[in-house]
């Protein structure tokens, strides 16, 4: 299958070719025709499967014809949970729409609102937004939805996790009832399906990977290590293996800052990215990581959502997440779009419960490798993932022909004959 066979026009095909893509991914092959037909879509796909292009390409195609957006109006609204993801999605819109006469904009918090209001004043065909900032703009009458044709909820599961449900409901109340709806999510939990009932109408359901599975293109393993030895071990791994671009996950903002300082002290260019950092600092750190001037980017889960880097080779879980599904999202940062990647977790004895939850979720035992010189004082217990619960033994049924506590008739006859001899 080719992109040409999906019904996309020449300007979009040209942009796709310039990006270096030749064949659509499974999620793109299924979602693009459904969106072009005007159907509502619920799509479950892992991070890194190409789902952003799966809705961006057909949306741009649908906008080519039709009335251009008037002042303060929007034709397509894409909602995302984080600033980083909003910026990444808008980058895709600009990349694939570069040969089209369409206007787009991205709005999120943490930066001045006036430039965003100025951009919306002309009207935009595609608006990518985080829920909070969008509501601010709506309340200031800077954005209106009379011309809205399509609503997209990207990473809907994360939006619910982050408590955006009330904002989403307020936004839905402001939108026209007649519209196309697309929901993209890593998984479809009961909460997501409950939300979907209020949004999508007779949707096409697409699922390209088993629920909560991890990409086969990512090699995963763990290094058991004591908590205090994690930072020296990470430094050794980066220097010894000559990792030039490594995304490191920390459980807390304080932990991310501390680890960044420790890596810098060891001569490794590092930067932290988390919710306490200004948007400018986060954007600068991500740009430096992409261009290679920062070797290690230390991130918390929320800040890392939406980081889209072609052929990112290495992800390290410095801390295991408390929510096992976050492990799947984390390692989904590598091994994307056909490339391979590695994900290593530094696990101390205190994290055995989190490790067990992760292994149970992905239904696989992660290989353990102890690094010489870093043997843990407190060892990890054996993995529980393949330990089947022992079934209680069933009581034996009594043999036919005798009552409980009595000898079988044949046995009694044998003993009588033996006693006569």
């Amino acid at each position: 299958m080719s992109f040409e066979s999906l019904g996309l026009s020449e300007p979009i095909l040209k942009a796709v070719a310039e990006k270096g893509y030749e064949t659509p991914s499974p999620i793109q092959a299924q979602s693009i025709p459904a969106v072009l037909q005007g159907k509502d879509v619920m799509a479950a796909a892992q991070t890194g499967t190409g789902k952003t292009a799966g809705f961006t390409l057909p949306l741009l195609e649908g906008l080519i014809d039709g009335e251009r957006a008037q002042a303060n109006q929007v034709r397509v609204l894409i909602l995302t949970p984080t600033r980083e993801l909003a910026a990444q999605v808008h980058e895709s819109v600009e990349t694939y729409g570069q040969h089209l006469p369409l206007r787009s904009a991205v709005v999120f918090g943490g930066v001045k609102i006036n430039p965003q209001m100025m951009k919306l004043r002309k009207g935009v065909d595609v608006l990518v937004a985080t829920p909070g900032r969008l509501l601010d703009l709506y309340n200031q009458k800077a954005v209106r939805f009379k011309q809205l044709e399509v609503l997209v909820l990207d990473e809907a599961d994360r939006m619910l996790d982050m408590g955006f449900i009330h904002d989403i409901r307020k936004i839905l109340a402001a939108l026209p009832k007649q519209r196309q709806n697309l929901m993209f999510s890593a998984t479809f939990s009961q909460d997501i399906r409950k939300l979907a009932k209020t949004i999508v109408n007779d949707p096409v359901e697409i699922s390209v990977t088993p629920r909560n599975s991890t990409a086969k293109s990512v090699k995963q393993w763990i290094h058991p290590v004591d908590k205090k030895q994690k930072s020296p071990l990470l430094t050794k791994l980066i220097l010894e293996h000559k990792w030039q671009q490594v995304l490191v996950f920390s459980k807390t903002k304080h932990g991310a800052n501390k680890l960044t300082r420790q890596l810098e002290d060891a001569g490794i260019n590092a930067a932290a990215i988390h919710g306490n950092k200004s948007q400018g600092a986060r954007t600068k750190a991500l740009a430096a990581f992409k261009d290679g001037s920062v070797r290690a980017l230390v991130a918390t889960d929320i800040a890392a959502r939406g980081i889209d880097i072609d052929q990112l080779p290495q992800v390290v879980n410095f801390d295991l997440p408390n929510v096992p599904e976050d492990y799947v999202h984390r390692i989904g940062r590598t091994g994307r779009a056909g490339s391979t990647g590695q994900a290593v977790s530094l696990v101390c004895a205190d994290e055995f419960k989190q490790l067990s939850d992760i292994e149970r979720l992905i239904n696989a035992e992660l290989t353990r490798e102890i690094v010489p010189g870093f043997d843990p004082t407190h060892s990890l217990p054996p993995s529980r993932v393949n330990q089947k619960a022992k079934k209680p033994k069933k009581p034996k049924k009594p043999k036919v022909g005798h009552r409980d506590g009595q000898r079988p008739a044949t046995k009694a006859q044998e003993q009588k004959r033996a006693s006569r001899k």
Side-chain angles (χ1 to χ4, degrees):
M1 180 181 285
S2 64
F3 283 103
E4 288 86 348
S5 66
L6 295 176
L8 299 171
S9 58
E10 190 55 39
I12 294 176
L13 291 173
K14 183 180 178 184
V16 170
E18 287 171 354
K19 185 74 172 169
Y21 298 132
E22 297 177 358
T23 56
S25 68
I27 185 69
Q28 292 163 0
Q30 294 182 63
S31 63
I32 290 174
V35 177
L36 287 175
Q37 289 167 21
K39 295 179 179 178
D40 283 11
V41 171
M42 281 180 68
Q46 279 178 262
T47 300
T49 54
K51 61 186 171 74
T52 302
F55 61 78
T56 301
L57 296 176
L59 289 178
L60 290 170
E61 183 69 38
L63 291 172
I64 295 174
D65 297 323
E67 186 183 349
R68 294 293 301 278
Q70 298 169 7
N72 297 106
Q73 294 291 337
V74 175
R75 295 174 68 193
V76 169
L77 173 62
I78 303 172
L79 287 178
T80 72
T82 68
R83 307 165 188 176
E84 283 73 27
L85 183 57
Q88 295 285 359
V89 172
H90 184 243
E91 189 179 319
S92 290
V93 171
E94 287 193 318
T95 298
Y96 297 124
Q98 60 184 303
H99 303 302
L100 297 171
L102 300 172
R103 286 193 296 266
S104 65
V106 59
V107 297
F108 45 70
V111 296
K112 292 180 180 178
I113 199 169
N114 284 344
Q116 297 176 352
M117 295 174 79
M118 294 292 289
K119 187 105 181 192
L120 290 168
R121 193 169 292 174
K122 299 176 183 178
V124 294
D125 298 289
V126 182
L127 177 63
V128 187
T130 52
R133 177 51 61 95
L134 182 67
L135 282 174
D136 288 344
L137 289 161
Y138 179 75
N139 291 332
Q140 295 187 49
K141 296 182 169 55
V143 63
R144 287 290 175 260
F145 303 111
K146 187 179 177 182
Q147 282 187 270
L148 189 80
E149 300 169 30
V150 188
L151 167 68
V152 182
L153 287 187
D154 191 18
E155 304 224 351
D157 55 337
R158 178 59 58 171
M159 277 200 264
L160 292 192
D161 289 345
M162 293 173 66
F164 284 132
I165 184 63
H166 297 299
D167 287 349
I168 291 171
R169 285 183 177 141
K170 287 178 185 176
I171 293 166
L172 291 174
L175 305 182
K177 294 289 184 282
Q178 293 298 317
R179 63 177 191 267
Q180 185 179 8
N181 303 285
L182 314 177
M183 285 183 70
F184 285 76
S185 181
T187 60
F188 279 117
S189 62
Q190 290 305 312
D191 288 338
I192 289 289
R193 292 193 175 278
K194 188 176 177 182
L195 175 64
K197 287 180 181 178
T198 66
I199 300 175
V200 295
N201 178 36
D202 190 24
V204 174
E205 283 207 32
I206 299 168
S207 182
V208 297
T209 49
R211 187 166 180 246
N212 294 325
S213 65
T214 52
K216 290 186 175 68
S217 56
V218 181
K219 180 189 175 186
Q220 306 167 61
W221 74 99
I222 67 174
H223 287 316
V225 62
D226 289 334
K227 186 180 289 185
K228 290 182 179 179
Q229 290 297 304
K230 282 190 177 188
S231 180
L233 176 55
L234 177 59
T235 301
K236 175 185 170 69
L237 293 173
I238 293 173
L239 295 175
E240 195 172 272
H241 296 294
K242 296 182 172 63
W243 292 342
Q244 296 304 314
Q245 193 180 44
V246 54
L247 178 59
V248 184
F249 283 96
S250 169
K251 195 158 57 176
T252 66
K253 301 167 190 175
H254 172 72
N257 289 336
K258 183 180 177 183
L259 179 58
T260 300
R261 289 194 299 270
Q262 291 169 333
L263 291 173
E264 287 278 349
D265 290 344
I268 298 167
N269 288 343
I273 181 170
H274 53 67
N276 282 357
K277 296 280 185 180
S278 69
Q279 186 55 42
R282 289 159 74 166
T283 303
K284 184 179 177 182
L286 185 55
F289 185 56
K290 284 186 175 183
D291 68 25
S293 53
V294 162
R295 193 170 174 181
L297 186 66
V298 186
T300 54
D301 285 301
I302 289 177
R305 195 73 166 198
I307 291 178
D308 188 5
I309 299 165
D310 288 339
Q311 298 179 347
L312 174 65
Q314 193 72 45
V315 166
V316 174
N317 291 303
F318 188 81
D319 302 309
L320 288 184
N322 287 327
V323 180
E325 285 83 1
D326 283 342
Y327 174 84
V328 177
H329 297 314
R330 286 179 177 190
I331 73 167
R333 302 289 111 205
T334 185
R336 308 180 74 155
S339 62
T340 57
Q342 297 186 131
V344 58
S345 302
L346 310 185
V347 185
C348 64
D350 291 348
E351 296 173 299
F352 181 64
K353 183 186 182 300
Q354 290 96 313
L355 175 62
S356 297
D357 290 344
I358 289 165
E359 290 183 326
R360 194 177 301 115
L361 179 77
I362 65 174
N363 195 29
E365 182 178 347
L366 296 172
T367 302
R368 304 180 183 200
E369 295 179 7
I370 293 177
V371 178
F374 290 88
D375 301 60
T377 306
H378 307 285
S379 58
L380 282 172
S383 174
R384 294 174 179 167
V385 72
N386 290 322
Q387 292 181 3
K388 295 180 180 178
K390 292 182 179 179
K391 295 181 180 178
K393 291 182 179 180
K394 293 181 180 178
K396 290 182 179 179
K397 292 181 179 178
K399 292 182 180 179
V400 179
H402 69 93
R403 293 194 300 272
D404 286 349
Q406 288 187 335
R407 292 174 297 169
T410 52
K411 188 82 174 175
Q413 288 170 358
E414 286 174 7
Q415 288 177 346
K416 277 184 182 178
R417 281 197 292 268
S419 63
R420 287 175 188 157
K421 289 179 182 177

